[in-house]
Amino acid sequence: MSATEKVERITEARVWRGEIPLYARYTAGIAGERFFREIKENARIMGTKCSRCNILYVPARLYCERCFSKLEEWEEVPPRGEVHTFTILHMDLEENPLDKPAIVAFIRLERADGGLVHYLGEVEPDEVYIGMKVEAVFKPPEERKGEITDIRYFRPAGGNYAGI
């Protein structure tokens, strides 16, 4: 079978192992830079709001994806939300078994039209459920670097709050 022939069955697929030497540099951009700076310096999550569509974007964006308006209004978002979906990881990126399973979830943040994919902590895999209320746990100020990992993880939220 040549490389240009259509694969009819997965068993016919060929694999070429090796590495592609690609190098890239990604910048967070203007909105992303402020988003990460706020996490680092103030332990707070900020979004941008479209006053025309009434959408609060988290992570922050510069333009509304619905009406293309420039977003200049910044709003703090509570560091709370709920688990929208999750997965339990048993292997790392190199397919090595983890000592303890890790939980990654998409967290819909309170009042925001969006959320973050992040780790869950202080909870066992069999205790996690869709709709679970969670809150962000930030690293101490001296450990923050302006990265998403400045939020150490999200943990089950104690007490009641308004919710989404």
Side-chain angles (χ1 to χ4, degrees):
M1 169 183 288
S2 75
T4 59
E5 290 181 54
K6 182 178 177 184
V7 174
E8 297 290 334
R9 292 181 296 279
I10 192 69
T11 56
E12 296 174 348
R14 289 194 174 171
V15 176
W16 283 271
R17 300 231 180 252
E19 295 183 20
I20 301 174
L22 296 177
Y23 301 94
R25 189 171 293 217
Y26 173 79
T27 62
I30 295 168
E33 189 272 333
R34 179 167 178 191
F35 176 78
F36 290 121
R37 186 168 19 93
E38 288 288 348
I39 290 173
K40 177 183 179 184
E41 296 173 5
N42 303 309
R44 64 184 189 168
I45 300 170
M46 299 292 290
T48 47
K49 185 166 188 168
C50 178
S51 55
R52 186 173 173 190
C53 298
N54 199 32
I55 296 173
L56 180 55
Y57 289 99
V58 175
R61 294 174 178 87
L62 283 183
Y63 292 92
C64 178
E65 60 188 40
R66 291 199 183 157
C67 72
F68 303 110
S69 294
K70 187 171 183 180
L71 304 178
E72 298 178 299
E73 183 181 340
W74 286 80
E75 193 171 309
E76 184 174 0
V77 175
R80 301 179 301 268
E82 67 181 35
V83 173
H84 185 71
T85 189
F86 68 94
T87 190
I88 300 168
L89 307 176
H90 295 276
M91 296 182 168
D92 65 15
L93 292 174
E94 286 79 36
E95 298 183 14
N96 298 310
L98 296 173
D99 293 333
K100 180 181 176 192
I103 308 163
V104 176
F106 175 75
I107 294 117
R108 263 191 82 214
L109 294 170
E110 184 177 329
R111 293 191 9 245
D113 295 286
L116 301 172
V117 174
H118 215 302
Y119 287 102
L120 297 183
E122 299 181 36
V123 63
E124 294 300 319
D126 60 351
E127 298 171 335
V128 179
Y129 57 91
I130 304 298
M132 173 184 256
K133 306 296 188 210
V134 294
E135 62 189 3
V137 175
F138 293 89
K139 288 180 178 176
E142 65 276 4
E143 292 180 24
R144 295 187 209 138
K145 299 177 182 177
E147 302 169 348
I148 196 63
T149 54
D150 289 346
I151 301 172
R152 193 179 305 273
Y153 52 79
F154 283 78
R155 67 178 173 208
N160 294 327
Y161 65 91
I164 310 264

